[in-house]
Amino acid sequence: MSKNNDQNKLWGGRFTEPTDAFVQRFTASVDFDRRLFQQDIDGSVAHAKMLVKAGILTAAEVSKILDGLESIRQDITDDKFEWSVALEDVHMNIEAALTSRIGDVGKKLHTGRSRNDQVATDIRLYVRGEIDQIAELITRLQSALLGVAEKEASTIMPGFTHLQTAQPVSFGHHMMAWYEMLDRDYARLLDCRKRVNVSPLGAAALAGTTYPIDRYFTAEQLGFDAPTRNSLDSVSDRDFAIELASFASILMMHLSRFSEELVLWTSAQFNFIDLPDRFCTGSSIMPQKKNPDVPELVRGKTGRVHGHLVSLLTLMKSQPLAYNKDNQEDKEPLFDLIDTVKDCLFAYSQMMPAVSCNKDEMYAAAKQGYATATDLADYLVKKGMPFRDAHEVVGKSVAFGIEKKKDLAELKLAELQNFSDLITQDVFEVLTLEGSVAARDHIGGTAPIQVLAAVATAKTDISKR
Ligand code: ARG
């Protein structure tokens, strides 16, 4: 796509020999930063309008500049623009094209700015747009989870600690736990947006500029909340990229946990759920296989996003003020983590509504692991036994059940009474899975009625976004 000829460099004045061909390729960023063309042109439009307002350029000059920029925007959009590696990056490609289209007046656009504040502005605009799309995708996935939670509020599964059956829970409750993780991700993302949305434009190379620029005007034109407050910090700061990568790393950690559960649950050993065929693939050798590729890949992609966070932190570590060429290395990790997060959220938002629960298997699994043992202990406590003693009694009952290969609910009353005479016929109400789940009836508990209340609250919350 890119020409590698030695075009006139925009900074060639003090040089006596052409750039080494390797160095030209090594230092160029156009192959990846051309992704910023819309933001670069938006930034230039705001800057050019400000230059007229401040009396630095004439209205006629800026009108030509604006027309030229829009024609370039159109050509890039239509894939008719010829990018050149010799022109290094998106900024100089566009500026050179402007001058070649409108003549010398194009050379005036760069008055009072530098590529250093220009690139910082472009990335912030880009990140802001992507944040808004990611926020939308999180909301979509959260809504999907609410749908499943509502439908499966009374579906019983074993809840685990240490991946050992602990207590029965509602499948809907489990979905709402995922919802909560995403809710924190959403809040972190919006918090990050506040620090993204400030305008570095006008910081110029590092110290500001001698022209009477109006940074409030350009900030407002570009939808920023305010201009940044220190020019040195403006051109060197990439905290916002690191914050986004941190947000993304935590989100991906969450998605990797969801994925791990889906992979387990779809296995023949668990068989709790089925994923729709369109989200799975087969094996070229084993005809029976239906592999949960989408969750597996999401789990795998977590690694690259975590890697990008470390790349960005290491990129910025020990950099002296202000701009350094190192910063050009911010883009590839940033772009890739954004793309990855969007794809993973999209995949999940499509997949989750199509998950089907194997209710009988989940129920049978919940019955297996003495999941209502705590309920029996609580029953004894309510009849006056101290909790530690009740724990001991139930432990012995469980050991007896294991020996007889029977669940607690399957033991005879007389057998249970061998362990405590406080046990009477009503014990069987608390030993059922339904009774156990329904009894956890407080905010945050797994009782179906509480799950439905949590869904209702969440629906109201996200409708306000
Ligand atoms: N391509 C550069 C980057 O992405 C643009 C800024 C270059 N500034 C400079 N002084 N060389 O960071």
Side-chain angles (χ1 to χ4, degrees):
M1 70 101 204
S2 303
K3 283 200 296 189
N4 201 15
N5 57 354
D6 214 327
Q7 299 191 4
N8 273 344
K9 300 266 192 241
L10 299 190
W11 39 254
R14 60 102 69 217
F15 287 79
T16 53
E17 61 173 359
T19 317
D20 180 271
F22 165 76
V23 172
Q24 180 161 288
R25 186 174 60 73
F26 187 68
T27 55
S29 54
V30 64
D31 284 348
F32 48 87
D33 68 13
R34 48 194 281 208
R35 186 194 276 237
L36 297 171
F37 79 92
Q38 294 282 12
Q39 292 74 20
D40 196 68
I41 292 172
D42 290 345
S44 290
V45 167
H47 179 68
K49 287 183 178 165
M50 183 279 293
L51 291 174
V52 201
K53 188 168 173 280
I56 300 165
L57 295 190
T58 68
E61 288 170 326
V62 168
S63 153
K64 277 193 188 165
I65 289 175
L66 296 183
D67 289 348
L69 287 171
E70 291 311 329
S71 82
I72 292 170
R73 193 199 299 271
Q74 194 58 52
D75 284 0
I76 301 176
T77 309
D78 297 343
D79 214 10
K80 284 195 230 143
F81 190 83
E82 202 166 336
W83 297 97
S84 156
V85 170
L87 289 165
E88 208 175 308
D89 56 24
V90 62
H91 323 291
M92 292 198 292
N93 267 268
I94 292 176
E95 196 190 322
L98 182 68
T99 301
S100 92
R101 287 175 195 213
I102 66 169
D104 279 358
V105 61
K107 295 182 183 168
K108 296 191 175 185
L109 171 63
H110 211 51
T111 312
R113 76 170 183 189
S114 148
R115 275 187 297 152
N116 298 350
D117 59 340
Q118 194 178 351
V119 71
T121 304
D122 292 3
I123 310 172
R124 284 176 184 274
L125 289 173
Y126 179 79
V127 166
R128 183 182 72 193
E130 295 297 315
I131 285 178
D132 293 344
Q133 290 180 35
I134 295 170
E136 173 69 38
L137 285 163
I138 295 178
T139 302
R140 246 199 262 174
L141 174 53
Q142 285 186 294
S143 306
L145 292 174
L146 290 180
V148 182
E150 191 165 33
K151 201 169 97 197
E152 309 293 351
S154 304
T155 303
I156 291 175
M157 68 180 286
F160 299 95
T161 59
H162 314 268
L163 202 58
Q164 309 285 320
T165 300
Q167 292 170 353
V169 293
S170 138
F171 187 80
H173 196 51
H174 200 112
M175 292 298 103
M176 289 306 285
W178 292 5
Y179 175 94
E180 289 296 328
M181 296 183 207
L182 290 169
D183 219 47
R184 294 191 293 274
D185 292 324
Y186 187 87
R188 266 186 286 272
L189 180 65
L190 289 205
D191 189 54
C192 166
R193 192 187 193 283
K194 292 182 214 152
R195 283 173 296 282
V196 168
N197 203 31
V198 284
S199 176
L201 195 57
L206 76 165
T209 176
T210 55
Y211 299 95
I213 59 168
D214 183 347
R215 297 192 57 214
Y216 289 93
F217 177 82
T218 44
E220 203 206 304
Q221 288 281 304
L222 293 167
F224 285 121
D225 295 330
T228 51
R229 292 189 296 255
N230 179 290
S231 63
L232 292 166
D233 182 48
S234 305
V235 292
S236 76
D237 172 36
R238 295 294 182 273
D239 291 3
F240 63 94
I242 296 173
E243 283 190 46
L244 187 71
S246 311
F247 146 82
S249 295
I250 298 176
L251 171 84
M252 289 303 296
M253 175 271 288
H254 289 152
L255 295 184
S256 80
R257 296 181 66 187
F258 302 179
S259 297
E260 176 70 7
E261 296 197 320
L262 293 183
V263 170
L264 285 171
W265 293 347
T266 52
S267 72
Q269 287 67 28
F270 277 77
N271 195 24
F272 285 1
I273 59 160
D274 280 319
L275 293 178
D277 282 1
R278 63 183 184 282
F279 282 93
C280 299
T281 62
S283 155
S284 54
I285 172 166
M286 297 167 285
Q288 85 283 12
K289 294 276 279 185
K290 174 174 159 185
N291 297 326
D293 292 50
V294 172
E296 286 176 280
L297 260 181
V298 170
R299 188 176 60 186
K301 283 177 189 289
T302 305
R304 66 202 270 171
V305 173
H306 290 188
H308 294 326
L309 170 61
V310 175
S311 296
L312 290 169
L313 282 167
T314 314
L315 169 68
M316 295 312 295
K317 177 184 174 294
S318 311
Q319 264 198 50
L321 287 170
Y323 176 86
N324 300 285
K325 185 74 169 180
D326 313 39
N327 286 2
Q328 182 164 292
E329 285 289 308
D330 62 357
K331 289 168 203 64
E332 287 163 294
L334 189 59
F335 293 162
D336 188 69
L337 75 86
I338 288 170
D339 293 345
T340 305
V341 158
K342 283 167 73 181
D343 280 353
C344 294
L345 284 169
F346 179 76
Y348 257 82
S349 69
Q350 299 294 301
M351 185 174 65
M352 285 316 295
V355 162
S356 64
C357 290
N358 299 330
K359 297 189 194 201
D360 295 345
E361 275 81 357
M362 281 195 223
Y363 192 86
K367 271 184 99 171
Q368 260 171 30
Y370 299 92
T372 56
T374 318
D375 297 85
L376 179 56
D378 291 345
Y379 168 89
L380 291 168
V381 169
K382 284 172 196 160
K383 296 220 165 178
M385 189 182 286
F387 182 79
R388 273 295 149 232
D389 294 338
H391 191 287
E392 173 79 13
V393 165
V394 178
K396 288 192 171 126
S397 316
V398 167
F400 179 76
I402 291 170
E403 195 191 306
K404 298 275 169 208
K405 295 196 171 33
K406 280 185 178 162
D407 187 57
L408 292 178
E410 290 161 355
L411 295 178
K412 296 199 177 69
L413 181 59
E415 288 172 322
L416 286 166
Q417 282 171 335
N418 282 334
F419 300 100
S420 167
D421 52 17
L422 291 176
I423 298 177
T424 52
Q425 185 60 39
D426 59 357
V427 73
F428 292 103
E429 281 157 43
V430 308
L431 293 182
T432 65
L433 298 179
E434 289 79 1
S436 167
V437 169
R440 286 164 173 80
D441 185 11
H442 51 75
I443 180 164
T446 193
I449 198 168
Q450 291 294 340
V451 175
L452 291 175
V455 169
T457 307
K459 278 188 180 170
T460 317
D461 282 354
I462 60 174
S463 72
K464 291 188 201 136
R465 285 182 184 168

